Amino acid sequence: MTVSVLGGGIAGLSTLYYLSLRHNIPRVKLYEASSRFGGWVKSSIDKNTGVVFETGPRSLRPVGAVGLTTLELIEKLEIDDKVVPVHRSHVAAKNRMIYAKNQVCMMPNGPAGLIKTIPPFTKPLLFAGLKDLFTGKSKSPLDDESIYDFVARRFGQEVADYAISPVICGICAGDAKEISVKFLFKEIFEKEQKYGGIIRGAIKGRHDKKSEVPIEKTDFMNRAKIEGWSMYRMQDGIEIIPKRIIEKLSNNQNFDMNLNAACDQITFKDDEAQVTINGTNQPAQHVVSTLPSFTLAKLVEHQHPILADELRAIPYVDVAVINLLYKKENLLKDKGFGVLIAPSENMPILGVIFDSCIVDCNHSTVLTVMSGGRWFDKHYGKDSSNEKLLEAALDGISKMLGINEKPDIFEVHLNRQCIPQYVVGHHQRVERIRKYVSDNKLPLSLGGAAFDGVGVNDVIMSSKTIANGLKF
C-alpha cells in the first residue's frame, strides 16, 4: 500500500510521524511544493544576540487533549529538554492587555476585577455575569451564530467589543462578527442552548459526557499540571518540532519526503488515487491532504466540482509578522504577554507580543507585531511592501506603547492566506465536505488547519487521528 501525503508543514510531517508508529507501516510519500519543510512554523536565531524570531506560531498551551497530544509528541521526539515553560505565576501569564478607547488597558486577572470598574469597561464585569443569568434562552434554537453575537447576547456588547473581539484577532486574525461561536466555544454554546445560559450550562452540564478521548499521561506530561504551566515555548524555536520529525524519519526506507514537489492534480478511480506531481503521475491507495482548502479545491475540481466549491468557500486571511529587537532593556512600561487591539480602534495592526517579557532575550526588548488579518486589504490595499508594513508596526507601538526609537534589528514577513477563517456555518460546511468524501468513497483524508482547528495543537491532534484511523 502507498499513501501520498500532500503538504510538508507541521500537519503533513506529524501525519508521517504517527504513521511510523503503526505496525505494518505502508509506503508513504510526502510531497511539499516549496523548498523547505515546516510550513508556517518557521524560527530564526539572530547570530549576534541569540534571540529567536518566530514568523508563525510561537507559544503552545498544554491544555486539554490537544495540548497533551503535543506534549506527548515532544516527548516521543526526545526534545522535551528543549521546552521552556511559562508558569501561571509568571507576569506574562497574569498580565494581558488590550488597546481600546485610545489607551492600553490591563485585563482583569482575578476576582477583584469582577467587582471594580476597570477600563475600557464602564461597569464591573460582575454585571455581565448577572446578564447571562437573567437573559434566559434564545427566542428560537440556534445551530450557529457569530462569536460576537453570542457573547453580546449573553454578556453585553462591551464584553463582545473589548474582550472577545481582540482575542479573536490574536487567535485567528479574524473578525469576531464573522467567526463562528463553535470556533472557540462549541461545548459552551451547546450547553447554553440546552440549559438556557452559560453559567447554568456550566453548573447543570458538569456531569454531561465528555467527548475528549483520555490520554495516558507520562511524568513529563504531568509536569505541566503539577508545575502550573500556562504555556511554553521551545528553546531555539517551535521549528525544532518539524525538524526533529525529519531527523527521525530521514533514514526510514518506508518514507520518502520530497521538496519542490508540487501536486498538479488528484484523480480518483476504482477506490484508488493518482496524484500528479510536477507533471508525473504517482499511484496511491490513499491520499492525505494537509494543503490549504483552496489549493486542494484546484486539484479535485476536474472530477468533483461540488467538493471543490465547498473547499474554496473557506476564507483565508493574510497576516504580516514584524519582529523588532531593541538593544535596550525596560522599554516597556507594563510587563505582560502583550497587547491586543480592539477592532473598533481601526488600526492596521492586530496586536503586539512582548517576547522579552516571556523568555530571556539577552538584555534586549523584543516585540512581535501582527498586522492585517481580516482587514489587510482595507489598510494596505495593493501596497503591502515591507517598508509600509514596518512603518505601520512602528507607528502602532509608538502610539500604544510610547516607544519611538528605531529597532536595532527587524524582520518583516508577509504570510499570504495563512489562517483559515471558521466563519458562521463552517462546522456544517466541514460536515458536508466529509460526507461528500464518504458518500463518494474517495480514498482521501483531510488534515491541516482548515477543518479541525487552526492552532499547532489542533493540527497535530488531527494528524494523529488520521494516521491512527487509516486501514492497511
Side-chain angles (χ1 to χ4, degrees), residues 80-86 231-236 358-359:
D80 45 303
D81 60 325
K82 303 296 184 181
V83 169
V84 183
V86 179
M231 57 188 155
Y232 62 94
R233 291 193 173 192
M234 299 298 295
Q235 183 180 332
D236 299 336
I358 303 169
V359 292

Side-chain angles (χ1 to χ4, degrees), residues 292-323:
S293 59
F294 57 85
T295 301
L296 179 60
K298 297 175 184 177
L299 306 183
V300 300
E301 64 182 347
H302 67 293
Q303 280 188 322
H304 300 280
I306 295 174
L307 175 60
D309 287 344
E310 291 279 25
L311 291 166
R312 200 177 283 113
I314 299 173
Y316 283 69
V317 296
D318 304 333
V319 178
V321 177
I322 301 94
N323 305 107

Side-chain angles (χ1 to χ4, degrees), residues 142-147 177-183 189 310 313-315 421-433 450-451:
L142 300 173
D143 186 56
D144 199 359
E145 68 178 322
S146 76
I147 197 167
K177 294 179 179 179
E178 299 173 349
I179 299 298
S180 167
V181 64
K182 295 180 180 180
F183 172 61
F189 174 68
E310 291 279 25
I314 299 173
Q421 303 293 284
Y422 288 20
V423 297
V424 174
H426 176 82
H427 284 75
Q428 293 93 324
R429 171 167 286 113
V430 171
E431 288 177 1
R432 291 195 301 270
I433 289 171
F451 306 103

Side-chain angles (χ1 to χ4, degrees), residues 321-351:
V321 177
I322 301 94
N323 305 107
L324 306 171
L325 185 149
Y326 302 83
K327 292 182 179 179
K328 285 185 179 180
E329 290 186 282
N330 303 318
L331 286 180
L332 293 166
K333 296 176 183 177
D334 298 305
K335 307 297 183 183
F337 182 80
V339 56
L340 293 170
I341 293 89
S344 56
E345 296 301 301
N346 195 32
M347 292 177 64
I349 65 176
L350 303 167

Side-chain angles (χ1 to χ4, degrees), residues 70-140:
T70 302
L71 287 177
E72 177 187 54
L73 175 63
I74 287 171
E75 186 172 20
K76 287 181 180 294
L77 293 173
E78 301 176 289
I79 51 174
D80 45 303
D81 60 325
K82 303 296 184 181
V83 169
V84 183
V86 179
H87 300 93
R88 284 193 289 268
S89 58
H90 194 283
V91 66
K94 294 193 296 183
N95 291 349
R96 307 282 176 125
M97 290 160 261
I98 63 166
Y99 185 78
K101 297 181 179 179
N102 292 312
Q103 61 180 321
V104 174
C105 307
M106 192 73 68
M107 295 300 289
N109 61 11
L114 298 176
I115 58 176
K116 294 181 180 179
T117 300
I118 299 176
F121 304 104
T122 58
K123 54 188 176 184
L125 289 177
L126 176 63
F127 288 100
L130 293 174
K131 175 176 170 57
D132 174 61
L133 280 175
F134 292 103
T135 294
K137 289 188 176 183
S138 53
K139 293 180 180 179
S140 58

Side-chain angles (χ1 to χ4, degrees), residues 157-376:
Q157 187 174 345
E158 279 196 341
V159 178
D161 283 333
Y162 303 130
I164 197 63
S165 289
V167 167
I168 293 298
C169 288
I171 294 175
C172 69
D175 185 347
K177 294 179 179 179
E178 299 173 349
I179 299 298
S180 167
V181 64
K182 295 180 180 180
F183 172 61
L184 278 188
F185 301 142
K186 184 175 186 292
E187 186 175 315
I188 292 174
F189 174 68
E190 289 171 350
K191 288 184 178 180
E192 182 262 350
Q193 287 293 294
K194 181 178 179 180
Y195 296 108
I198 294 175
I199 297 173
R200 286 192 181 95
I203 296 171
K204 294 182 178 180
R206 65 187 183 277
H207 299 304
D208 288 359
K209 186 178 180 181
K210 303 293 183 181
S211 59
E212 286 189 348
V213 177
I215 295 177
E216 185 176 346
K217 298 178 185 178
T218 65
D219 290 343
F220 169 67
M221 295 161 70
N222 281 322
R223 271 185 58 200
K225 183 176 183 179
I226 294 170
E227 297 177 6
W229 297 3
S230 173
M231 57 188 155
Y232 62 94
R233 291 193 173 192
M234 299 298 295
Q235 183 180 332
D236 299 336
I238 298 292
E239 195 177 356
I240 191 175
I241 299 175
K243 284 182 175 179
R244 184 61 173 160
I245 292 174
I246 294 166
E247 289 176 12
K248 283 275 190 180
L249 301 182
S250 59
N251 295 322
N252 192 319
Q253 295 183 352
N254 288 314
F255 295 88
D256 184 11
M257 295 177 282
N258 303 276
L259 291 171
N260 302 306
C263 184
D264 307 314
Q265 188 171 271
I266 306 172
T267 302
F268 299 101
K269 185 178 180 181
D270 299 331
D271 297 327
E272 293 191 357
Q274 179 177 273
V275 294
T276 305
I277 306 295
N278 294 336
T280 302
N281 295 330
Q282 302 284 349
Q285 280 68 55
H286 197 89
V287 176
V288 177
S289 173
T290 65
L291 301 171
S293 59
F294 57 85
T295 301
L296 179 60
K298 297 175 184 177
L299 306 183
V300 300
E301 64 182 347
H302 67 293
Q303 280 188 322
H304 300 280
I306 295 174
L307 175 60
D309 287 344
E310 291 279 25
L311 291 166
R312 200 177 283 113
I314 299 173
Y316 283 69
V317 296
D318 304 333
V319 178
V321 177
I322 301 94
N323 305 107
L324 306 171
L325 185 149
Y326 302 83
K327 292 182 179 179
K328 285 185 179 180
E329 290 186 282
N330 303 318
L331 286 180
L332 293 166
K333 296 176 183 177
D334 298 305
K335 307 297 183 183
F337 182 80
V339 56
L340 293 170
I341 293 89
S344 56
E345 296 301 301
N346 195 32
M347 292 177 64
I349 65 176
L350 303 167
V352 184
I353 298 171
F354 301 170
D355 297 284
S356 49
C357 288
I358 303 169
V359 292
D360 177 40
C361 288
N362 196 19
H363 307 293
S364 299
T365 297
V366 180
L367 309 173
T368 300
V369 180
M370 301 167 295
S371 188
R374 176 63 179 82
W375 303 272
F376 191 93

